[in-house]
Amino acid sequence: MVNDLVGSFNQEEMRPAKLNTGRIALIDADKVKYVVAYKIYQDVQKIERGELQIFLKEDPVIKYTKQWISDFLLRIEDPMIFCFSAPSSSTFRCNVAFEKQYKGNRKKDYTEYDGKLQDMANSMKYIVDNYVSLVTTDLEADDILSMLQDPDNTYIISNDKDLKTVPGYHYDYALNNIKLIPPKDALYFLATQMITGDTTDSIPGLPGYGPVAAEKILAQCRKPSEYIARVLHEYQTKFGIFKGTDMFSESWMLLKMRENRGTHFLSKYERLFDTKTMLLQEIQKNKLK
């Protein structure tokens, strides 16, 4: 995943024309931090092997963060919102996970080095200080993207498969264009995850059920509106009415991205929507010029 994101660094290939859709690009900016950390990890390895000497003219964190952003500014002309996650332990999902600790099976990866967490924090701070950015105390970037996504005015930039559950336009890295995920396709992917679970985030789903089983179960539905009811039926059949419903509800809360609904919810996250409204007003002004 990191390699996919790093691929745009230091390349001189012919670039396509800048993308200008008249929409807001919603960026999963957590990925930037990991890309920057990966680049610094590569430098650390080269230094340890004696292949590289560093003569600091600029903080490497800032240099690599700037490079990533510059690459996107060459690709995309649309206004952008950089969305960051709160620490995983602070998000609401940690409080609704009963079967397994949310993201509890994540281990340190091979890109660990001293100072990595601070480098990631500094990369985030640079972006927040210089670009339109959003972060809360209890939401992941995925949820912010989902809340702000709408069919007319936005598209999502992320290579996180979980965001396939969010309908609307999504950015295609290879084509430098946007593609539509219809609501029925987003619902199908969500229903599939409800059955198979997500090992990356320690979400169990239905034990013993893989993609093939999920496909067979959902094939029994005559229309997309039956997907979720069918999944609930499978949970209740396997675990009984009470436990099955509880486990279904847990999987739903862990896998379903948040939406912009509810008076209390909208008032709590008013700043997120104010930022989007501000950018939409700027787009409209530019169209009128």
Side-chain angles (χ1 to χ4, degrees):
M1 182 177 69
V2 173
N3 285 326
D4 293 339
L5 291 166
V6 173
S8 61
F9 272 96
N10 301 325
Q11 293 183 359
E12 300 297 334
E13 77 278 9
M14 294 294 293
R15 296 184 181 275
K18 273 192 176 184
L19 184 64
N20 185 348
T21 67
R23 299 168 180 268
I24 298 173
L26 305 172
I27 300 177
D28 180 1
D30 287 344
K31 309 307 179 192
V32 186
K33 299 185 297 183
Y34 288 103
V35 167
V36 170
Y38 181 74
K39 292 296 292 182
I40 293 175
Y41 167 79
Q42 289 182 316
D43 288 346
V44 169
Q45 296 298 299
K46 290 177 182 177
I47 292 169
E48 291 179 352
R49 294 195 299 265
E51 299 171 6
L52 179 68
Q53 289 182 312
I54 297 292
F55 301 95
L56 290 179
K57 294 183 179 179
E58 184 177 29
D59 182 343
V61 172
I62 305 304
K63 180 182 75 171
Y64 289 132
T65 303
K66 285 181 176 178
Q67 281 187 10
W68 191 94
I69 293 172
S70 294
D71 179 77
F72 257 79
L73 292 177
L74 288 172
R75 291 168 167 262
I76 297 173
E77 197 168 339
D78 292 318
M80 304 176 185
I81 300 179
F82 292 84
C83 303
F84 290 96
S85 293
S88 292
S89 58
S90 302
T91 64
F92 72 90
R93 286 185 175 86
C94 285
N95 297 318
V96 300
F98 287 80
E99 293 299 315
K100 293 183 178 181
Q101 179 186 354
Y102 180 59
K103 294 187 177 180
N105 66 343
R106 292 197 175 185
K107 300 177 181 179
K108 291 185 176 181
D109 62 27
Y110 65 93
T111 62
E112 292 298 319
Y113 62 89
D114 289 340
K116 175 181 177 179
L117 293 179
Q118 187 59 55
D119 285 346
M120 292 170 68
N122 291 344
S123 176
M124 173 179 167
K125 183 178 186 304
Y126 175 82
I127 294 174
V128 170
D129 288 346
N130 292 279
Y131 297 91
V132 179
S133 305
L134 292 173
V135 62
T136 71
T137 58
D138 58 351
L139 290 176
E140 296 180 70
D142 292 358
D143 293 301
I144 298 175
L145 295 169
S146 176
M147 290 159 59
L148 297 181
Q149 173 82 313
D150 69 66
D152 300 318
N153 298 308
T154 64
Y155 58 93
I156 287 173
I157 297 179
S158 175
N159 65 347
D160 190 333
K161 64 176 174 47
D162 295 341
L163 283 160
K164 291 180 180 179
T165 65
V166 180
Y169 285 96
H170 290 249
Y171 179 72
D172 187 309
Y173 282 86
L175 299 177
N176 196 50
N177 208 335
I178 57 175
K179 291 183 176 181
L180 180 66
I181 295 182
K184 64 181 182 64
D185 292 351
L187 187 60
Y188 184 89
F189 190 77
L190 174 60
T192 299
Q193 282 197 302
M194 292 282 292
I195 296 168
T196 63
D198 188 336
T199 56
T200 303
D201 291 337
S202 302
I203 301 172
L206 282 166
Y209 286 61
V212 174
E215 185 177 353
K216 289 180 179 178
I217 290 169
L218 297 179
Q220 300 174 45
C221 300
R222 293 170 298 174
K223 50 189 176 180
S225 59
E226 297 178 358
Y227 290 157
I228 301 303
R230 184 69 203 182
V231 174
L232 174 59
H233 172 76
E234 293 294 328
Y235 271 86
Q236 292 175 336
T237 299
K238 188 172 182 64
F239 297 107
I241 296 295
F242 290 104
K243 184 177 180 180
T245 303
D246 281 345
M247 292 185 69
F248 169 89
S249 300
E250 179 179 335
S251 292
W252 177 267
M253 290 297 292
L254 290 171
L255 289 164
K256 178 69 171 62
M257 300 295 130
R258 299 305 92 187
E259 293 183 355
N260 55 340
R261 66 169 188 85
T263 303
H264 170 66
F265 187 84
L266 292 176
S267 64
K268 183 178 180 182
Y269 300 107
E270 185 176 7
R271 181 176 64 90
L272 307 183
F273 303 102
D274 286 346
T275 300
K276 177 181 172 182
T277 299
M278 175 194 70
L279 286 183
L280 288 175
Q281 289 172 346
E282 289 297 318
I283 291 172
Q284 189 60 33
K285 286 180 183 177
N286 291 333
K287 287 181 179 178
L288 295 174
K289 286 182 180 178

